[in-house]
Amino acid sequence: MENKQPSVMDLLIETHAELERQGPGSPEMTCKALGFLDHLDQISRTADLGCGSGGQTMVLAQHLAGTITGLDLFPDFIHVLNENVQKRNVEERVRGVVGSMDDLPFEKETFDLIWSEGAIDNIGFEKGLAHWHGFLKKNGYVVVTCPSWLTNERPAVIEKFWSDAGSGLDAVGHNIEVLQKCGYQFIASFALPETCWTDNYFIPREAALKGLLKKYPGNETVEAFVAENRYEVELYAKYKQYYGYIFYIGRKM
Ligand SMILES: C[S@@+](CC[C@H](N)C(=O)[O-])C[C@H]1O[C@@H](n2cnc3c(N)ncnc32)[C@H](O)[C@@H]1O
């Protein structure tokens, strides 16, 4: 029997560390977004911010020849990324570092591409785009996914869920204007399909949650954590036509 009392943060990390992805996404959609960039062969330095354990970092590594630095706040995720880097023999080109997206530990104007899936909303879409602008070379690309409203109707229950989670949702049009205001040319945007949420995230996460319930029987913190995760799935099933993850692609002017 497990005696340790895990915090919600411990549970979040334990649930997600061994998943392929820590949020909605897919290799196909990462490749689709890459398809909007000109001259992939000229991209020599990429940063993947809020990379988690690096599911999309490895997809980028398959399609880009240059170096890729994954950055995440949580050492456990970076540890998994760096283990996978070694297993795949790409340590010459890919590495994970611990750091915060809102205070990047890099030199200014060094990246051809800043990538970030499912993470920018943690620091705010505008704040992230404005901060990262300084780290891109001229004509460098920024590619992010961010949860956004898909309709003018905004169910209060969804508004509350995301604001309780620390992320405000905005409309796609609003976010495109913000991207332009932050000094980028707008290139493209598109929504992630439903399977990126269900097959690629919720289903593997549910298996990890079942593992937690087994590992910590009768633990109220664990039960509440699992219930909150399942509530997110219920909300998505009921309200998915109103919101989703959107890829936003811009180019530094
Ligand atoms: C929804 S997950 C997405 C992870 C991964 N990019 C993916 O799509 O599978 C969000 C990630 O952002 C990271 N994160 C949150 N706040 C951060 C911050 N201030 N700086 C760096 N990473 C952060 C989390 O640790 C987590 O790995």
Side-chain angles (χ1 to χ4, degrees):
M1 166 119 44
E2 180 62 53
N3 292 322
K4 182 176 168 265
Q5 278 301 313
S7 67
V8 171
M9 194 54 78
D10 292 335
L11 294 171
L12 189 80
I13 293 168
E14 186 170 351
T15 308
H16 286 84
E18 299 301 328
L19 300 184
E20 182 68 24
R21 297 290 300 254
Q22 287 72 43
S26 74
E28 293 75 19
M29 292 302 116
T30 297
C31 290
K32 178 171 172 175
L34 272 176
F36 285 97
L37 314 190
D38 285 336
H39 307 301
L40 285 187
D41 56 325
Q42 287 172 22
I43 292 179
S44 64
R45 281 201 70 187
T46 297
D48 181 11
L49 307 179
C51 62
S53 63
Q56 73 292 313
T57 320
M58 289 306 180
V59 176
L60 294 175
Q62 283 164 13
H63 292 89
L64 300 172
T67 63
I68 304 177
T69 307
L71 173 139
D72 201 277
L73 205 49
F74 292 114
D76 293 48
F77 294 160
I78 291 300
H79 179 73
V80 175
L81 167 60
N82 283 331
E83 273 185 350
N84 287 333
V85 161
Q86 284 202 338
K87 277 184 208 152
R88 295 183 199 188
N89 288 319
V90 286
E91 56 267 58
E92 300 277 294
R93 297 197 297 117
V94 186
R95 73 185 176 119
V97 298
V98 176
S100 189
M101 296 183 291
D102 56 2
D103 185 18
L104 293 180
F106 305 124
E107 283 187 19
K108 291 286 177 80
E109 304 203 355
T110 45
F111 292 105
D112 303 290
L113 172 61
I114 291 184
W115 201 272
S116 181
E117 293 195 38
I120 194 169
D121 54 304
N122 287 290
I123 59 167
F125 189 75
E126 179 164 359
K127 185 177 170 188
L129 288 182
H131 180 54
W132 303 349
H133 190 268
F135 294 87
L136 279 171
K137 297 176 189 165
K138 190 170 180 326
N139 293 323
Y141 287 102
V142 69
V143 180
V144 305
T145 62
C146 188
S148 313
W149 290 115
L150 304 175
T151 58
N152 282 335
E153 204 179 326
R154 296 165 181 197
V157 66
I158 297 301
E159 192 117 50
K160 179 172 179 349
F161 179 84
W162 283 87
S163 102
D164 288 352
S167 305
L169 300 188
D170 280 304
V172 177
H174 171 86
N175 283 340
I176 292 172
E177 278 180 20
V178 168
L179 179 130
Q180 291 168 325
K181 192 177 110 186
C182 289
Y184 301 92
Q185 175 198 12
F186 170 65
I187 302 290
S189 74
F190 64 91
L192 291 185
E194 192 179 333
T195 51
C196 284
W197 292 74
T198 52
D199 299 6
N200 294 1
Y201 182 50
F202 287 154
I203 291 174
R205 188 178 72 179
E206 175 59 23
L209 293 172
K210 286 203 172 97
L212 281 187
L213 289 171
K214 256 197 187 156
K215 180 172 172 188
Y216 303 98
N219 184 303
E220 285 177 14
T221 309
V222 173
E223 283 170 2
F225 175 78
V226 170
E228 182 68 10
N229 277 265
R230 289 178 175 168
Y231 177 57
E232 183 192 7
V233 178
E234 261 174 54
L235 285 183
Y236 182 72
K238 197 162 166 196
Y239 294 102
K240 63 192 168 202
Q241 66 270 38
Y242 297 101
Y243 67 104
Y245 270 93
I246 301 289
F247 257 108
Y248 296 94
I249 302 169
R251 188 171 203 177
K252 179 172 172 172
M253 303 284 288

